[in-house]
């Protein structure tokens, strides 16, 4: 194991990035053959079976929207009936269908793919470009996920790594990785806030950095808030103005909307450095008489600020919550680390500086910082670095369902991991042979508003009168933030048999079968 | 790896279930929040399983993990004033051995459990009572529970809940009369 190469991979909603710690101890962000270090998390299924991943796939998205999958991370580890999947089905040009056990499948050219398979193709691209650059087969990786990811999403992310042929050393939280990159080799003793505004999600983590121990004090997030929402505001504005001028509703055509989204994203990026952005989308549609129309508009930075101000303010509500949980005030934070491309937006930086009363750090590239942190942790797990001990927390309360559609908390959010907590259940009928327990994660006391992790059925304990058998159920959250549940008869100590009833995850056999499929895929090389 | 450390892990793992959280973290009874945090960091530095990832001896790694989980558990319970106070009470009582670990007792029967109610009306009323309780409407909750007990007079869950709600209601009435005088 010691001579194997382990990389850190930031598997993002919009972009991914891969990094490694070189033998000299310096973190390196690995470029592809065109010198690009940030790769679009876009997977294009080409005719003939090859698959194109990255920026080239993103550029070709408009030409083949139905066979190009973007933002798969938004729906990874989600049930088909979830709000996220409903939204994706509305917005995404590729076909999303229902699989077994309420799972999600993506249908491309009559082939069905699970969401982890799509993410696995992005990871495979990262693995291959790292292997090419290092002239060595990369076998191990630390993969990051948003701090706010629940158990289902974490498991699905880990599955994606396995499908890509990687030994997943650890799933770590993006803000925690960023803090590692920030503190690496500096020997700091500070309280740090990591403000992570990505394409699709917002995370904030508060950490206490000591010499060689980093403790996450709290984490909070919003999985429905990111740079894509900024783009959507610009799109709304452009669509409304175009309708006022021409009477044509561009929303009816997914191709138009796709081109508009691209233009909106470019305008947003331009407005990070310029005061004014001109938006031009040529030949966007035809009017009723058949005349081809262009969309030409202009957005000022001030207009853009007005469009997104409420979104930026929403992030500070989440910051309030995280600080409160860490028992700190904004002024007690020594440093603020920015993560995610959306933190390039000036109003976001200004807002952060104002909220914390200090300028956020600008020395690390917000697109690289997470991958670099993951690479540092990977090197430390491989025993190549002295290593910092990471003490992370669980982002969501772990619950069990009770009667009447309610739940009870087993482990509060912001509880340090790895941890176990047991709960004693007693049988409520004479001779009862089974106990079924539904495990959930979420903020709400109502089961329907939480994410179900599965329904466990325990059997095999002795038969006795009601209330006589005490079953100790142990809930464990491991270092990856992944939940395990076991049970035993408290008196005899006998382990109960467990069956997991509801789960959208992949079985061991499915992973093996799909791993063969993914490893057989030929990755096309773009033209740069 | 250090042979002495190996012995330490083996020993600690074997007596883990007989130690209280103060002993796990090597803390004095009067330890402050700061002391607890420092101890948690110090112990994590030694026993964090990341240090032994890929170690050939799986049994040894499992023991390290068990120790680290207990360290985390101790920290979680002791750093919170309320749970710490309860824990200190429990471990200084006569049933000390039973309370070395923070364990949750079942408050409600699990949802998927059959046999909470024997009649459909009873179950429905019980569910409604819990909803009222969650919304803070104690009077309505109590009424629903009394109705549920009409259908199933011998149901212990209903009776226990009804008692609990009645107690809450008396407390809130008392608080109300105190604040109005």
């Amino acid at each position: 194991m010691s001579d194997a190469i382990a990389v850190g991979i930031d598997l993002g909603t919009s972009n991914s990035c891969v990094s490694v710690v070189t033998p000299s101890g310096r973190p390196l962000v690995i470029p592809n053959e065109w010198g690009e270090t940030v790769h679009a998390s876009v997977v294009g299924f080409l005719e003939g079976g090859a698959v194109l991943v990255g920026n080239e796939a993103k550029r070709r998205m408009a030409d083949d929207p139905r066979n190009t999958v973007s933002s798969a991370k938004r729906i990874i580890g989600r049930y088909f009936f979830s709000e996220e999947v409903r939204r994706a089905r509305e917005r995404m040009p590729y076909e999303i269908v229902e699989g077994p056990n309420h799972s999600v499948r993506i249908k491309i050219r009559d082939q069905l793919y699970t969401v982890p398979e799509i993410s696995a193709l992005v990871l495979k691209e990262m693995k291959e470009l790292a292997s090419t650059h290092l002239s060595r087969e990369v076998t191990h990786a630390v993969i990051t996920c948003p701090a706010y990811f629940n158990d289902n999403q974490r498991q699905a992310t880990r599955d994606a790594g396995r499908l890509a042929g990687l030994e997943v050393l650890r799933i770590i939280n993006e803000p925690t990785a960023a803090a590692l990159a920030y503190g690496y080799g500096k020997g700091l003793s500070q309280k740090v806030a990591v403000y992570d505004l990505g394409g699709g999600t917002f995370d904030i983590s508060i950490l206490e950095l000591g010499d060689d121990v980093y403790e996450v004090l709290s984490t909070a997030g919003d999985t429905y808030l990111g740079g894509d929402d900024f783009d959507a505001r610009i799109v709304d504005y452009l669509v409304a103005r175009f309708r006022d001028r021409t009477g044509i509703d561009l929303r009816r055509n997914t191709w138009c909307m796709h081109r508009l989204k691209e233009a909106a994203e470019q305008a947003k990026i331009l407005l990070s450095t310029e005061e004014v952005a001109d938006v031009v989308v040529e030949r966007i549609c035809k009017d009723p008489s058949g005349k081809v129309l262009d969309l030409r508009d202009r957005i000022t930075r001030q207009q853009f600020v007005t469009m997104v101000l409420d979104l930026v303010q929403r992030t500070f509500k989440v910051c309030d919550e995280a600080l409160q949980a860490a028992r700190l005030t904004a002024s007690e934070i020594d440093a603020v680390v920015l993560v995610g491309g959306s933190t390039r937006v000036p109003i976001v930086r200004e807002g952060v500086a104002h909220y914390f009363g200090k300028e956020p750090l600008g020395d690390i590239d917000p697109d690289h910082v997470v991958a670099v942190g993951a690479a540092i942790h990977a090197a430390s797990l491989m025993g190549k670095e002295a290593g910092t001990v990471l003490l992370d927390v669980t982002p969501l309360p772990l619950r069990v369902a009770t009667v009447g559609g309610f739940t009870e908390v087993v482990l509060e959010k912001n509880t340090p991991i790895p941890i176990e907590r047991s709960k004693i259940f007693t049988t409520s009928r004479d001779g009862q042979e089974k106990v079924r327990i539904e495990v959930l994660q979420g903020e709400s006391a109502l089961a329907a508003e939480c994410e179900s992790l599965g329904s466990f059925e325990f059997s095999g304990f002795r038969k006795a009168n009601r209330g006589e058998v005490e079953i100790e159920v142990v809930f464990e959250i491991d270092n990856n933030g992944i939940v395990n549940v076991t049970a035993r008869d408290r008196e005899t100590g006998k382990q109960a048999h467990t069956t997991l009833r509801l789960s959208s995850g992949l079985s061991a056999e499915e992973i093996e079968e799909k791993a063969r499929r993914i490893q057989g895929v030929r990755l096309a090389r773009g033209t740069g | 790896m250090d042979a002495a450390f190996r012995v330490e892990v083996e020993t600690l793992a074997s007596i883990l279930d007989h130690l209280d959280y103060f002993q796990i973290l090597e803390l004095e009874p009067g330890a402050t929040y700061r002391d607890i945090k420092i101890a948690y960091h110090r112990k994590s530095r030694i026993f964090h399983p990341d240090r032994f990832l890929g170690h050939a001896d799986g049994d040894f790694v499992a023991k390290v993990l068990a120790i680290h989980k207990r360290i985390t558990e101790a920290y979680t319970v002791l750093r919170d004033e309320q749970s710490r106070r309860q824990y200190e009470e429990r471990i200084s009582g006569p049933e000390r051995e039973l309370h070395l670990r923070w364990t949750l007792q079942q408050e409600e029967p699990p949802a998927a459990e059959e046999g909470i109610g024997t009649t459909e009306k009873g179950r429905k009323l019980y569910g409604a009572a819990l909803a009222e309780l969650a919304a803070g409407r104690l009077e309505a909750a109590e009424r629903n529970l009394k109705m549920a007990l009409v259908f199933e007079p011998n149901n212990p869950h209903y009776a226990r809940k009804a008692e609990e709600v009645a107690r809450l209601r008396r407390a809130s009435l008392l608080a109300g009369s105190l604040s109005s005088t």
Side-chain angles (χ1 to χ4, degrees):
Chain A
M1 170 148 166
S2 59
D3 56 332
I5 295 188
V7 294
I9 302 175
D10 171 8
L11 178 64
T13 306
S14 316
N15 294 302
S16 295
C17 182
V18 56
S19 173
V20 71
V21 175
T22 62
S24 65
R26 198 175 50 85
L28 165 79
V29 179
I30 302 174
N32 65 6
E33 59 265 60
W34 326 111
E36 295 166 326
T37 52
V38 177
H39 318 279
S41 304
V42 177
V43 179
F45 292 83
L46 307 180
E47 238 169 307
V51 172
L52 186 63
V53 178
N55 301 329
E56 178 75 3
K58 186 180 178 184
R59 280 191 286 273
R60 293 169 56 155
M61 192 150 59
D63 302 332
D64 196 8
R66 292 187 61 77
N67 298 313
T68 308
V69 184
S70 60
S71 301
K73 190 177 175 181
R74 280 181 178 269
I75 54 172
I76 198 167
R78 296 283 191 186
Y79 293 106
F80 186 76
F81 53 74
S82 68
E83 174 64 17
E84 264 304 310
V85 173
R86 195 190 61 73
R87 284 198 206 189
R89 290 176 68 206
E90 255 173 37
R91 287 187 192 176
M92 299 302 175
Y94 52 87
E95 196 177 351
I96 301 172
V97 298
E98 185 165 4
N101 296 325
H102 308 286
S103 65
V104 176
R105 295 286 186 272
I106 291 165
K107 194 173 176 186
I108 305 279
R109 300 187 200 279
D110 291 326
Q111 293 262 7
L112 292 178
Y113 294 88
T114 60
V115 186
E117 281 180 280
I118 303 295
S119 296
L121 289 164
V122 177
L123 292 171
K124 184 179 158 93
E125 170 80 8
M126 298 303 110
K127 177 180 189 266
E128 291 200 359
L129 69 87
S131 298
T132 303
H133 189 86
L134 300 168
S135 309
R136 286 273 306 278
E137 172 81 4
V138 169
T139 48
H140 294 64
V142 167
I143 303 173
T144 62
C145 75
Y148 226 53
F149 256 20
N150 66 37
D151 174 74
N152 291 335
Q153 293 167 298
R154 283 168 199 268
Q155 297 224 31
T157 303
R158 189 171 62 178
D159 288 348
R162 289 174 177 165
L163 294 179
L166 286 164
E167 170 112 12
V168 182
L169 294 170
R170 179 65 42 85
I171 301 291
I172 66 170
N173 293 327
E174 288 158 11
T176 310
L180 260 181
Y182 160 68
Y184 184 59
K186 293 194 187 122
L188 300 170
S189 186
Q190 288 189 336
K191 293 192 175 64
V192 174
V194 181
Y195 180 100
D196 179 355
L197 189 59
T201 56
F202 172 66
D203 272 337
I204 172 94
S205 289
I206 312 291
L207 291 99
E208 189 175 321
L209 310 191
D211 280 341
D212 53 354
V213 178
Y214 289 10
E215 182 188 354
V216 180
L217 300 176
S218 67
T219 191
D222 186 335
T223 43
Y224 295 93
L225 182 59
D228 295 353
D229 299 295
F230 290 24
D231 301 347
R233 291 287 168 89
I234 298 179
V235 169
D236 288 346
Y237 175 82
L238 295 173
V239 166
R241 301 246 302 174
F242 193 76
R243 196 180 47 222
D244 291 347
R245 272 201 304 274
T246 65
I248 297 169
D249 184 3
L250 294 171
R251 288 201 182 277
R252 297 220 182 125
N253 185 318
T254 52
W255 182 81
C256 289
M257 284 307 284
H258 179 77
R259 293 192 60 201
L260 210 51
K261 263 180 221 156
E262 273 183 326
E265 191 186 347
Q266 275 164 19
K268 175 186 74 178
I269 292 167
L270 203 60
L271 287 167
S272 293
T273 50
E274 309 294 323
E275 286 299 322
V276 176
D278 286 317
V279 183
V280 181
V281 186
E282 282 175 351
R283 311 178 66 80
I284 192 159
C285 66
K286 287 179 184 168
D287 72 5
S289 69
K291 189 179 153 214
V292 176
L293 299 177
D294 297 341
L295 181 143
R296 286 173 196 279
D297 214 325
R298 167 171 284 201
I299 300 170
T300 66
R301 188 185 285 183
Q302 194 47 50
Q303 280 172 321
F304 175 63
V305 168
T306 313
M307 287 177 213
V308 301
L309 199 58
D310 65 305
L311 296 174
V312 178
Q313 275 162 348
R314 247 169 73 194
T315 67
F316 298 122
K317 283 252 189 309
V318 184
C319 293
D320 285 345
E321 195 190 307
L323 281 168
Q324 201 182 359
R327 301 194 227 183
L328 293 171
T329 61
S331 61
E332 286 173 279
I333 297 297
D334 299 306
V336 184
V337 179
L338 296 181
V339 184
S342 305
T343 58
R344 288 219 169 79
V345 174
I347 180 65
V348 173
R349 283 182 176 252
E350 286 157 26
V352 170
H354 181 76
Y355 181 86
F356 288 100
K358 58 181 60 71
E359 282 303 316
L361 298 162
D363 55 341
I364 320 174
D365 187 328
D367 286 326
H368 292 164
V369 63
V370 169
V372 167
I376 291 167
H377 198 51
S380 139
L381 290 176
M382 298 294 278
K384 290 193 176 140
E385 291 288 316
T388 300
V389 172
L390 281 190
L391 302 169
D392 218 317
V393 298
T394 180
L396 293 158
L398 187 70
R399 298 168 176 275
V400 289
T402 60
V403 283
F406 286 89
T407 61
E408 265 172 29
V409 174
V410 175
L411 282 164
E412 295 288 351
K413 68 174 168 181
N414 292 319
T415 300
I417 55 170
I419 197 164
E420 274 178 13
R421 179 144 298 164
S422 14
K423 192 170 168 73
I424 312 294
F425 292 85
T426 49
T427 50
S428 59
R429 274 178 296 124
D430 294 346
Q432 188 178 346
E433 289 176 348
K434 286 178 189 163
V435 168
R436 207 162 95 207
I437 293 160
E438 193 187 1
V439 183
L440 309 101
Q441 255 178 333
E443 305 277 8
S444 172
L446 296 174
E449 291 174 6
C450 293
E451 189 81 355
S452 173
L453 304 186
S455 179
F456 297 84
E457 194 168 271
F458 300 108
S459 58
F461 29 81
R462 83 204 133 89
K463 284 183 199 167
N465 291 335
R466 180 174 81 190
E468 280 182 7
V469 181
E470 287 196 333
I471 301 132
E472 180 177 12
V473 181
V474 181
F475 302 84
E476 183 202 16
I477 304 181
D478 70 13
N479 261 315
N480 299 304
I482 289 174
V483 179
N484 302 301
V485 183
T486 50
R488 66 185 181 99
D489 184 325
R490 215 184 178 201
E491 195 184 271
T492 63
K494 192 181 162 214
Q495 201 78 23
H497 300 291
T498 310
T499 38
L500 183 67
R501 303 263 290 225
L502 171 77
S503 166
S504 63
L506 299 174
S507 67
E509 297 85 57
E510 281 175 303
I511 288 190
E512 207 169 299
E513 175 211 319
K514 292 184 193 312
R516 275 198 297 275
R517 177 184 185 180
I518 296 300
Q519 277 149 51
V521 167
R522 188 172 60 81
L523 289 179
R525 302 316 308 163
T527 49
Chain B
M1 182 182 319
D2 194 331
F5 181 64
R6 226 192 148 84
V7 172
E8 189 184 350
V9 167
E10 294 289 342
T11 315
L12 198 51
S14 68
I15 58 167
L16 207 55
D17 286 338
H18 303 289
L19 300 177
D20 68 39
Y21 292 156
F22 290 93
Q23 290 166 325
I24 298 265
L25 293 177
E26 291 189 75
L27 286 166
E28 296 297 318
T32 63
Y33 177 73
R34 193 72 215 151
D35 297 335
I36 294 166
K37 191 185 253 308
I38 290 168
Y40 169 55
H41 287 193
R42 188 183 59 230
K43 290 285 175 188
S44 293
R45 241 178 242 127
I46 303 168
F47 294 105
H48 200 286
D50 276 1
R51 294 189 52 208
F52 311 99
L53 201 77
H55 193 278
D57 185 350
D59 181 55
F60 173 75
V61 177
K63 282 176 179 155
V64 171
L65 177 62
I67 293 168
H68 191 248
K69 279 194 289 196
R70 199 64 64 87
I71 290 165
T72 314
E73 183 179 314
Y75 171 61
T76 307
V77 172
L78 296 185
R79 70 174 178 171
D80 179 82
E81 273 168 46
Q82 203 186 337
S83 57
R84 175 181 173 171
R85 223 179 4 253
Q86 270 186 48
Y87 180 75
E88 284 172 335
E89 262 169 44
R90 287 184 195 174
I91 59 164
S92 44
E95 290 189 311
R96 175 185 155 83
E97 279 292 315
L98 289 175
H99 295 296
L100 293 175
R101 293 189 71 185
W102 188 262
T103 304
L104 302 169
Q105 290 294 325
Q106 169 191 16
E107 284 158 31
E108 298 289 345
E113 184 71 75
E114 303 128 48
I116 289 156
T118 47
T119 64
E120 196 182 327
K121 282 234 165 67
R123 278 197 293 268
K124 233 183 208 160
L125 286 159
Y126 185 58
L130 292 179
E132 298 289 3
L133 183 60
R137 291 186 290 269
L138 297 175
E139 206 171 327
E142 197 175 0
R143 202 167 46 238
N144 277 310
L145 286 165
K146 278 186 183 152
M147 287 291 286
L149 281 165
V150 171
F151 290 97
E152 295 169 46
N154 298 320
N155 187 312
H157 296 299
Y158 298 178
R160 212 177 322 131
K161 204 77 202 169
E163 264 170 43
E164 182 193 324
V165 172
R167 207 168 45 238
L168 281 170
R169 212 159 81 79
R170 278 196 301 276
S172 78
L173 283 175
L174 187 63
S177 70
L178 285 176
S179 64
S180 62
T181 52

